[in-house]
Amino acid sequence: MTNQKKIIITYGTFDMFHIGHLNLLKRLKSMADTVIVAVSTDEFNLQKNKRTIIPFEQRIKIVESIQYVDKAIPEISWDQKTSDIEKYNVDIFAIGKDWEGKFDFLSDYCEVVYLTRTKGISSTEIKKSLKSLLSIPHAELRRAFDILEILRKDLE
Ligand code: CTP
């Protein structure tokens, strides 16, 4: 079988879809003919202690609209991977290097690859920054915005 006939699958939350996510999906399409993306549901994310900004229905719509994605399915549990691999005749399981080694057991079912993450962008980090903003007292934030407004006017 040539490389182009392969089926690849990945799993993820894809909250606040960004360039790191896009690069990963583009890379997957360069490795196989068919790209399947399992998008974590809000309920499954809660099990992982992960809260998203964008609800599941929107995240999966965004992912399935990406030109590099052939099919998007919900990810509802940790242990669906083996049945997905069998159901969709998957040749390659791929995921970012942040998961390196965690899914080696899937190599009984298909090839397992860990891909380099795009540097400097992460929805988790953006969420952390937003959270830290919430801890700044309201009056201080107001002052900061006033200063920004003055700076912006200076630029006009
Ligand atoms: N990813 C990537 N480069 C990034 C961010 C994410 O390649 N800068 C990859 C992840 O490694 C994963 C996929 O995109 O394979 C989906 O990531 P996701 O499950 O949404 O969450 P995180 O890994 O936490 O990514 P983020 O920090 O952006 O939330």
Side-chain angles (χ1 to χ4, degrees):
M1 196 157 70
T2 68
N3 213 20
Q4 283 306 303
K5 290 272 156 37
K6 287 187 172 168
I7 300 173
I8 199 163
I9 197 164
T10 194
Y11 292 77
T13 300
F14 300 94
D15 195 18
M16 294 184 284
F17 195 92
H18 58 63
I19 193 72
H21 297 145
L22 189 65
N23 288 341
L24 175 95
L25 299 177
K26 186 176 184 183
R27 181 94 192 275
L28 298 183
K29 191 64 179 175
S30 76
M31 296 166 68
D33 183 54
T34 304
V35 175
I36 303 174
V37 182
V39 179
S40 309
T41 61
D42 295 337
E43 293 74 19
F44 181 51
N45 275 325
L46 283 183
Q47 282 181 42
K48 297 188 275 181
N49 282 327
K50 208 170 180 178
R51 269 183 175 277
T52 56
I53 304 272
I54 309 297
F56 169 73
E57 289 70 23
Q58 294 179 25
R59 286 184 287 109
I60 195 165
K61 260 191 201 162
I62 292 166
V63 167
E64 71 192 359
S65 305
I66 302 295
Q67 61 171 308
Y68 311 117
V69 175
D70 296 285
K71 185 176 181 64
I73 58 170
E75 182 191 27
I76 59 168
S77 75
W78 286 112
D79 45 355
Q80 75 184 69
K81 294 186 182 67
T82 48
S83 55
D84 288 344
I85 290 167
E86 282 174 347
K87 180 173 174 190
Y88 297 108
N89 283 316
V90 169
D91 299 288
I92 311 169
F93 167 91
I95 200 156
K97 267 203 171 44
D98 39 324
W99 291 97
E100 190 142 32
K102 297 275 186 335
F103 296 108
D104 288 354
F105 65 94
L106 292 174
S107 56
D108 287 344
Y109 300 85
C110 65
E111 189 185 336
V112 176
V113 293
Y114 301 99
L115 301 171
T116 309
R117 284 169 64 95
T118 302
K119 288 193 176 54
I121 179 94
S122 154
S123 5
T124 307
E125 288 307 314
I126 295 170
K127 269 180 275 182
K128 271 190 205 155
S129 310
L130 288 174
K131 239 185 176 172
S132 67
L133 274 182
L134 287 177
S135 64
I136 301 174
H138 180 81
E140 270 179 45
L141 262 187
R142 190 64 265 162
R143 263 199 303 281
F145 281 121
D146 287 346
I147 292 167
L148 280 176
E149 186 63 10
I150 292 164
L151 289 174
R152 193 181 64 81
K153 281 200 182 122
D154 278 353
L155 289 172
E156 282 173 358

